[in-house]
Amino acid sequence: MAHARIIGTGSYLPERVVTNQELESRIDTSDEWIVSRTGIEARHVAADGEMTSDLAFHAASRAMQSAGVGPQDIDLIIVATTTPDMIFPSTACLLQAKLGVKQGAAFDVQAVCTGFMYALATANLYVTSGQHRCALVVGAEVFSRLLDWNDRRTCVLFGDGAGAVVLRRSEEPGILTSNLHADGSLSHILRVDGGISHGKIRGNPFLEMDGQAVYRTAVRALDDSATEALNAAGITADQLDWFVPHQANIRIINSIADKVGLPRERVVTTVARHGNTSAASVPLALDAAVRDQRIKPGQLVMLQGVGGGMTWGTVLLRW
Ligand code: UT7
């Protein structure tokens, strides 16, 4: 049976770092409140004119370099983003042109902070079916542009960035199982309901969130999704080498780790330095742990995302 393996990772963070101390000087918040509620100390923010496809380009180039593949090898590009450069063409098409890829398919997926799980699981189906051989899967966001920087309940939580992987057809198993979920009846608890219509912005162009409802939903959904993935792969939590969760809140991450039964030292966390970068958060954290050689060949890795929709999902793989 054909399989799909990740053969390279890359990531990119914009240069500008916004610390909690800087936010303290701008709005009514404190480093102590942000750190104790979320674990976030700083986040990166894209420069004016720096677009999602630019962040994606840097992350994708690094992933392709680490995989040892060139533009001629990539025949599928999937970009997970909630902050596309424009309404159309898709950011994946813009990225394809920037990379000089001339063949194959390119499209975006929109599952907010679960976007990378949706994109990776989708790419896995295309690659294992044989329709495509070598996929570039990217999570890239400029979430800072969806924030009301005067709203302390939301602006302290998010940041910008991009992460990417190259997924290639292989004889050896890489991705073992995935599950994706959605509950659209919860769309109101985390959303940006604005849009463009008849040349005007309709609705609110800024992110709105019922933090506690999102928190409760995330913990329940991620626990169920992890159990589903472990059962499907026939493995137990103690066999997992690494958990790379969505980086939204250290309290959610620790709570899932405890429920699943994973010691903290097997959990990859970047939330302190990156904040919540939505669809970019998991591939950013994955790349960090691959590059510093925490994740080693043959190890079992569980990736998880949760976000607006509500959406959530898990991908379990052997590195
Ligand atoms: O990808 C998924 C994305 N989202 C998430 O994962 C978010 C999930 N939710 C959370 O992480 C938490 O609910 C938050 C971190 C967003 C909020 O923490 P909380 O413990 O649920 O706080 P809260 O919303 O109940 O607010 C407690 C207090 C309020 O003051 P009062 O009404 O008790 O006087 C807020 O106004 O904290 C206040 N507050 C702040 N204070 C200082 C809210 N934001 C801030 C702030 N600085 N930045």
Side-chain angles (χ1 to χ4, degrees), residues 60-69:
S61 301
R62 290 171 185 175
M64 288 166 63
Q65 192 178 27
S66 80
V69 301

Short mmCIF file of all heavy atoms in Angstrom, two decimals, residues 60-69:
data_model
loop_
_atom_site.label_atom_id
_atom_site.label_comp_id
_atom_site.label_asym_id
_atom_site.label_seq_id
_atom_site.Cartn_x
_atom_site.Cartn_y
_atom_site.Cartn_z
N ALA A 60 7.92 27.82 2.83
CA ALA A 60 7.91 26.76 1.81
C ALA A 60 9.31 26.55 1.23
O ALA A 60 9.73 25.41 1.02
CB ALA A 60 6.92 27.12 0.71
N SER A 61 10.03 27.64 0.98
CA SER A 61 11.38 27.51 0.42
C SER A 61 12.27 26.72 1.38
O SER A 61 13.06 25.86 0.96
CB SER A 61 12.00 28.89 0.17
OG SER A 61 11.20 29.62 -0.72
N ARG A 62 12.14 27.03 2.67
CA ARG A 62 12.95 26.31 3.66
C ARG A 62 12.55 24.84 3.74
O ARG A 62 13.41 23.96 3.89
CB ARG A 62 12.82 26.98 5.03
CG ARG A 62 13.51 28.33 5.04
CD ARG A 62 13.23 29.13 6.29
NE ARG A 62 13.83 30.46 6.17
CZ ARG A 62 13.68 31.44 7.06
NH1 ARG A 62 12.95 31.24 8.14
NH2 ARG A 62 14.25 32.60 6.87
N ALA A 63 11.25 24.56 3.65
CA ALA A 63 10.79 23.15 3.69
C ALA A 63 11.30 22.40 2.46
O ALA A 63 11.75 21.25 2.57
CB ALA A 63 9.27 23.10 3.74
N MET A 64 11.26 23.05 1.30
CA MET A 64 11.72 22.38 0.08
C MET A 64 13.22 22.15 0.14
O MET A 64 13.72 21.09 -0.28
CB MET A 64 11.33 23.22 -1.15
CG MET A 64 9.83 23.17 -1.44
SD MET A 64 9.28 24.44 -2.60
CE MET A 64 10.15 23.99 -4.09
N GLN A 65 13.94 23.12 0.69
CA GLN A 65 15.39 22.96 0.82
C GLN A 65 15.71 21.78 1.76
O GLN A 65 16.55 20.94 1.46
CB GLN A 65 15.99 24.25 1.37
CG GLN A 65 17.49 24.28 1.28
CD GLN A 65 18.04 25.60 1.80
OE1 GLN A 65 17.41 26.25 2.66
NE2 GLN A 65 19.18 26.00 1.30
N SER A 66 15.01 21.71 2.89
CA SER A 66 15.31 20.62 3.83
C SER A 66 14.88 19.27 3.26
O SER A 66 15.46 18.23 3.60
CB SER A 66 14.69 20.87 5.20
OG SER A 66 13.34 20.53 5.22
N ALA A 67 13.88 19.27 2.36
CA ALA A 67 13.44 18.01 1.73
C ALA A 67 14.32 17.63 0.54
O ALA A 67 14.23 16.50 0.04
CB ALA A 67 11.99 18.15 1.27
N GLY A 68 15.10 18.60 0.07
CA GLY A 68 15.94 18.33 -1.11
C GLY A 68 15.12 18.24 -2.38
O GLY A 68 15.45 17.47 -3.28
N VAL A 69 14.04 19.02 -2.46
CA VAL A 69 13.23 19.02 -3.68
C VAL A 69 13.21 20.43 -4.28
O VAL A 69 13.42 21.43 -3.57
CB VAL A 69 11.77 18.53 -3.45
CG1 VAL A 69 11.76 17.14 -2.87
CG2 VAL A 69 11.00 19.50 -2.56
#
